Amino acid sequence: MRTSVTRTAHRRTVLAALSALALVPALVVAPTAASAASERFMVLGLPFFKPYRAAIATLDVDGAGKVTGTLAPPAGDARAALPVSGTLASGALRLTIGQGDDSYALSFTENQRGLHHIYEETAAIPGLTAVTVFRPEGGFSEPALVLQHDEDNWCGLVTGGLTVDLKAAELGRTPVAPAGLAEIDLVVTPQQGGTAKVKMKDYWSRLRLAARDGDDVSVDVAVPLGTEAKIAQDLRKVPLVATVTLPSLCGEMALAAIPRAKVMEADKVFEAKLKAYGDTMLARVLSGAAPEGGTGTRKFKVAGAVVPGEAGPAYKATVSAESEASRLAKGNWDQFTVLLQPVVTPADTAASVSLVPLVTDLKVAKKSGPQAPADAAFKPADDSSQVAAISHRLVSYIAAAEGTRCSFLTQTAFDEPDGSLSCTNLALDDVSPADDN
């Protein structure tokens, strides 16, 4: 597996902060009584909802700085929320979690770090995990409040899959896969290599056998793009399921965050906006223009651009372009189909949406003059890293153009070429260490 997460001096970098996407206020400040509204935060370092790393705090602050709210597990988990009370004044946040003898008082100081507005413990005790209350500038997306990564095994994948932990004791007592799990796609590794999907019901006996040693059984499952949060909530309601997190499986992923207003109206993708955005952004990338603006000189053609809706609105087009623009490789023309699908992911804020590209039917032709070759000159590409290179170019360029960020994972032999833009796979369910600012 290769991940595009490093930055080097000779590369232009993509701005990691999503603060440019902030379309709504993110700070918990003391509003007037008439404008008081709940804000949702993640809280790290609390033991109430293990094994989930982050609890979800919903906090209200009235005009006098009085704080009320709740602390809850991720959506779908059946455990009851805890009451929260406290005060906020001059950047000092004091919270009491719980009630009576089973309550805990904590003090925090306001700060800003990386993607997040945070409240850190005013004084941390060495050897104890610090408690942190945090929120990205644009607020969390709904999937971000549902899904979070495993503390130990996570490589950056936020789309297309989940990790499900099954309770050993109940698994051993259940001879047939229950309805909530039977049709879920289990990820397996065939003898010939790679990965494949099988229905969980078909491997249920094997999972039960693994549970006989008394340890919970952890499996990776594949889910349709954009359904991750909904399926995670449903799975958490199955009695056999202990936890559901982002997948520990590493795979193919490319996405770039853009402001929701560029392609959406309210909570819906607006097809005319998506069509206009795809036309404009593809033209910029393929012309070789700088992400910041200007005019490129590379030749390209975008044909048959449509916004189909079979699996949700997506931008689809057939592209012919010089490889110097499409994947930063010299001497060729590329011809391929590209699909740009808007999906709200756990990597988004409440103000952003991710564009997920799918590049298919790649064909390549050698340059033989200033004009594009005839269609017959293009031959199917037999190198999967070339497809990865196009995906990387698209998401890194879009993120640079928007001043946002991208995520990229691949298991191909792709290496970032000199002069490429880089992505970061940082999720929004964690904060950067203090020395990483």
Side-chain angles (χ1 to χ4, degrees):
M1 179 200 73
R2 296 167 187 266
T3 66
S4 176
V5 295
T6 58
R7 294 183 172 92
T8 55
H10 68 278
R11 291 178 181 149
R12 301 173 61 177
T13 61
V14 174
L15 179 64
L18 276 171
S19 58
L21 297 179
L23 305 181
V24 294
L27 309 185
V28 174
V29 295
T32 62
S35 64
S38 297
E39 299 284 9
R40 289 187 290 188
F41 292 79
M42 287 190 186
V43 186
L44 298 176
L46 293 178
F48 300 111
F49 304 114
K50 292 289 187 181
Y52 292 112
R53 299 170 52 258
I56 309 302
T58 303
L59 302 178
D60 290 321
V61 185
D62 69 12
K66 179 182 178 182
V67 179
T68 56
T70 59
L71 185 76
D77 188 288
R79 286 171 286 187
L82 301 173
V84 175
S85 59
T87 60
L88 174 64
S90 302
L93 176 65
R94 299 180 184 278
L95 294 180
T96 298
I97 302 167
Q99 293 178 315
D101 291 340
D102 194 21
S103 64
Y104 304 86
L106 299 167
S107 298
F108 303 89
T109 301
E110 186 177 19
N111 203 346
Q112 185 79 26
R113 187 186 303 157
L115 300 174
H116 300 105
H117 186 82
I118 69 175
Y119 290 91
E120 301 177 282
E121 280 196 271
T122 303
I125 299 175
L128 299 184
T129 302
V131 178
T132 305
V133 182
F134 67 98
R135 183 174 186 267
E137 292 289 351
F140 290 104
S141 67
E142 287 300 323
L145 292 166
V146 174
L147 298 170
Q148 50 188 260
H149 70 79
D150 187 298
E151 197 160 7
D152 299 319
N153 299 310
W154 186 74
C155 67
L157 201 62
V158 295
T159 60
L162 300 167
T163 291
V164 181
D165 288 345
L166 304 172
K167 299 176 184 176
E170 296 192 30
L171 182 57
R173 295 194 298 263
T174 309
V176 177
L181 294 172
E183 298 300 325
I184 293 291
D185 286 324
L186 183 67
V187 177
V188 297
T189 305
Q191 289 282 358
Q192 60 269 31
T195 60
K197 296 183 291 185
V198 298
K199 295 301 180 184
M200 193 176 291
K201 63 183 180 182
D202 296 329
Y203 275 63
W204 191 251
S205 183
R206 183 65 185 88
L207 298 178
R208 292 182 64 229
L209 183 63
R212 287 185 64 87
D213 65 5
D215 294 330
D216 288 354
V217 177
S218 181
V219 294
D220 290 313
V221 302
V223 299
L225 188 68
T227 67
E228 298 87 357
K230 171 65 167 59
I231 290 178
Q233 291 183 71
D234 291 342
L235 289 175
R236 286 175 184 148
K237 298 172 184 177
V238 178
L240 260 167
V241 173
T243 58
V244 182
T245 58
L246 289 172
S248 56
L249 178 73
C250 297
E252 300 298 313
M253 180 184 70
L255 61 85
I258 68 171
R260 286 198 195 191
K262 294 284 182 81
V263 297
M264 297 177 71
E265 291 190 355
D267 292 329
K268 302 294 184 183
V269 174
F270 191 64
E271 293 189 2
K273 282 188 173 184
L274 178 58
K275 173 68 164 52
Y277 187 90
D279 287 343
T280 300
M281 191 57 71
L282 272 186
R284 289 175 61 182
V285 176
L286 300 174
S287 72
E292 297 81 4
T295 303
T297 59
R298 296 290 179 183
K299 296 180 176 64
F300 68 93
K301 179 181 178 182
V302 177
V306 295
V307 179
E310 295 86 357
Y315 176 94
K316 184 178 182 180
T318 300
V319 168
S320 298
E322 295 182 71
S323 59
E324 287 86 349
S326 61
R327 53 186 167 96
L328 300 182
K330 295 180 180 180
N332 292 295
W333 276 80
D334 293 334
Q335 191 177 82
F336 55 91
T337 298
V338 62
L339 190 76
L340 298 175
Q341 185 164 0
V343 180
V344 180
T345 78
D348 285 301
T349 69
S352 76
V353 62
S354 290
L355 284 185
V356 181
L358 176 64
V359 176
T360 58
D361 302 322
L362 175 61
K363 298 177 181 179
V364 177
K366 287 289 185 183
K367 282 187 175 179
S368 58
Q371 302 302 318
D375 285 347
F378 286 91
K379 305 300 179 185
D382 57 3
D383 184 352
S384 59
S385 68
Q386 293 175 335
V387 173
I390 295 171
S391 297
H392 182 269
R393 175 64 173 163
L394 289 172
V395 298
S396 61
Y397 186 99
I398 291 170
E402 296 289 1
T404 59
R405 70 190 192 108
C406 53
S407 293
F408 182 79
L409 288 170
T410 183
Q411 293 180 304
T412 72
F414 166 74
D415 285 314
E416 292 181 30
D418 289 344
S420 69
L421 303 157
S422 290
C423 294
T424 173
N425 295 333
L426 179 66
L428 289 181
D429 64 346
D430 207 347
V431 289
S432 304
D435 57 0
D436 266 1
N437 292 331

